[in-house]
Every structure is written in structure tokens, then in C-alpha cells.
Amino acid sequence: MRLKGKVALITGAGSGIGRATATLFAREGAHVLVNDVDAIGGEETVASIIKQGGEAAYLQADVTDPDAVASMAAEAIRRAGRVDVLFNNAGISGVGMLHEIEPDAWDRVMRVNVRGIYLPSKHLLPHMMARRSGVIINMSSCVAEIGLARRASYAASKGAVLALTKAMQVDYAPYDIRVNAILPGTILTPFVDRYLKTSYEDPDAAIASLKARQLSGELGRPEDVAQAALFLASDEARFMMGSPLYVDGGVVFGKNA
Ligand code: NAP
């Protein structure tokens, strides 16, 4: 019960890492507010948490839409009274070398992955500041640290998230708000499944090469990242500030050959 009595809002929690984190946070005693643009996925996460005896509610919003995010934040405060933990997890992938990417596709990746962190934070930070307490976790990626082929827009967005995390931490430390980032390696979620199917002629060969890239020899599980988010959300991480937390099977700091 490491989050007993805490209220946590997780964006993009209708699938993958967000869903696994919502499930773990609820098991650890949090009241979880499940955001996702996809109502079916979001409601499924909530139903599964409630079935396991946890507390959760679904809040629909596209995290890139200022009005929708303002309403979501207001609804979160109305329902739960406060948000102790905001996990800015929602994100999309972007594939291609820079010259291949059309402007609309570039903007979409930046909008979801960066603006999608700016907006929920903008609307919930004033409440955290007033209470002089709060935790924000921003979803970056190991591509913020290493060059990976054909990920120009995605790498730019996740690098921006890491820089934003450090800047936010400096501004909000005086309010006792901690802001950290998670940098996963390749985690087997619907996001990676989609990306493998749409980007490679032979998804099985692609998955083998992704596994080989990580020292673990295996892809990560959503639960691996959820455990890292739990640590950052809990009081045990009270001295973690503006830090990148790697959950990457050794991809950033190791080399296989
Ligand atoms: P996922 O399974 O696709 O889950 C992401 C969820 O976010 C989906 O339910 C998606 O809904 C939702 N979403 C997308 N755009 C949204 C928006 N504008 N507003 C609200 N919700 C939105 O992906 P995941 O693998 O769990 O990834 C979660 C985060 O981890 C992302 O930020 C991703 O970049 C990051 N990450 C993932 C990996 C990995 O290997 N999986 C590695 C590093 C970092 P729809 O399905 O309807 O779009």
C-alpha cells in the first residue's frame, strides 16, 4: 500500500504502460483517475481495477486539446478533491528519417508527446502549488539519449520531454513538487506491436533485432515500467528530482558487441 490515500491521474491509461501503471497504483491503494482519448480502453482499465477491488474512474480527454484538458482537470479536482500524482504517459510513435516526414505527421508527434504533457501539467500544477505538494512523472524514452534509426520526430519529442522535465523541476521545487522522467527501452505494448507491423516487412525479424539490442535479450513488459512509476510516485523517491529513470534492459548504457 505504497500509495494509500493518494489520488493519481494517468494519461493514456487505456492501454499498455498506462494501463499497467493504473492497475499497480490501484493495488497500492491509490484512487486512480484513468485518462485516455479512447473511451473503450479507458473504461476497460477502470472496470478491471474495480473488479480487483480498487478505486478508479475514467476521464475522457484528448491531451492535446486545451478545453478538454481544462475540463478533465476540473473534473479530477471535483471528484477527488486533489491530484497528488500526475503521470503524463500518453504518447504516440513516429517513424521515418527527417526528410521523409510530412509536416502534419511531425506536428502530430510533437503535439501528443510534448503539448500532451504541457497541458495537463499546466492545469493541475496550480492545485499542487496551492497544496505545496505533488508528483509529476513525464514519459520520455531512451531515444532521448541514443540515436536510433528512423525515429527523428519521436526522438525530438522525447528529448523535449526530458529537457522540459528538468526545467519544470527547477520551477516547482520551491512548492515541494517533484518532477521526474521515465526512459523506457522497448516495451511490448500495442504501441510497439502496431509499429512493428506497419514499419517492417518481417515483424518477427524486427522483434528479434529489438531483443538483441537490449542487454536483457528480451523486450520489457508494461509492468516493468509501472514499477518504476510506482517508485517515483511514492514517498520513497522524495530525493529524486528532475531525474531520468531508465527502464531499458541496458540499452542506453550497455553495448552488446
Ligand atoms: P499504447 O499501448 O499505444 O498506449 C498509449 C495510450 O495513449 C493509448 O491508449 C492511446 O490511445 C492513448 N493516447 C494517444 N494519444 C492520446 C491523446 N492525444 N490523448 C489521450 N490519450 C492518448 O502505448 P505504450 O507503449 O503504453 O506507450 C505509453 C507511453 O510510453 C508513450 O508516451 C510512449 O511514447 C512511451 N514509451 C513507450 C515505449 C514502448 O516501447 N512501448 C518505449 C518508450 C516510451 P489510442 O490507442 O486510441 O491512440
Side-chain angles (χ1 to χ4, degrees):
M1 286 290 171
R2 288 156 74 188
L3 298 181
K4 194 167 172 49
K6 306 254 191 209
V7 179
L9 194 160
I10 304 173
T11 68
S15 175
I17 294 167
R19 172 175 287 177
T21 307
T23 306
L24 181 62
F25 279 19
R27 215 178 290 144
E28 292 291 337
H31 177 105
V32 184
L33 301 170
V34 171
N35 158 266
D36 204 288
V37 69
D38 169 26
I40 295 173
E43 295 284 13
E44 273 176 13
T45 302
V46 169
S48 146
I49 289 173
I50 289 171
K51 203 169 153 201
Q52 293 174 50
E55 273 185 85
Y58 172 61
L59 298 179
Q60 210 276 338
D62 176 335
V63 291
T64 69
D65 177 340
D67 293 341
V69 173
S71 303
M72 173 181 78
E75 180 64 9
I77 300 298
R78 193 188 66 73
R79 273 176 188 253
R82 65 187 194 282
V83 170
D84 300 295
V85 179
L86 168 63
F87 183 13
N88 286 310
N89 163 75
I92 58 171
S93 79
V95 179
M97 290 162 69
L98 188 143
H99 73 275
E100 299 168 337
I101 303 169
E102 295 304 328
D104 283 353
W106 177 276
D107 288 347
R108 174 95 189 120
V109 170
M110 297 302 281
R111 278 173 75 87
V112 177
N113 294 0
V114 185
R115 181 183 166 106
I117 286 182
Y118 152 68
L119 283 174
S121 304
K122 175 178 169 58
H123 287 285
L124 287 168
L125 270 162
H127 297 280
M128 292 180 173
M129 290 163 76
R131 299 181 60 245
R132 300 192 73 81
S133 162
V135 172
I136 297 183
I137 304 166
N138 292 332
M139 181 56 93
S140 180
S141 162
C142 67
V143 302
E145 300 273 15
I146 52 173
L148 278 181
R150 308 193 68 241
R151 301 287 199 291
S153 59
Y154 187 67
S157 73
K158 295 300 186 180
V161 172
L162 190 52
L164 173 64
T165 300
K166 295 171 186 172
M168 286 169 74
Q169 181 61 92
V170 173
D171 288 342
Y172 299 109
Y175 298 91
D176 290 334
I177 296 167
R178 291 191 292 106
V179 189
N180 292 290
I182 298 185
L183 281 68
T186 308
I187 311 296
L188 197 51
T189 66
F191 166 101
V192 168
D193 211 32
R194 266 194 310 274
Y195 150 77
L196 284 170
K197 285 186 183 128
T198 53
S199 314
Y200 293 92
E201 278 181 15
D202 182 352
D204 290 337
I207 216 162
S209 88
L210 286 176
K211 283 182 178 176
R213 197 172 68 197
Q214 310 198 144
L215 293 184
S216 59
E218 284 297 332
L219 299 186
R221 298 167 303 148
E223 292 74 18
D224 296 325
V225 184
Q227 290 289 350
L230 172 61
F231 168 62
L232 290 177
S234 75
D235 296 339
E236 293 151 33
R238 56 175 288 278
F239 211 50
M240 294 281 293
M241 298 182 82
S243 293
L245 182 54
Y246 302 90
V247 189
D248 68 348
V251 99
V252 171
F253 294 112
K255 213 164 189 333
N256 258 335

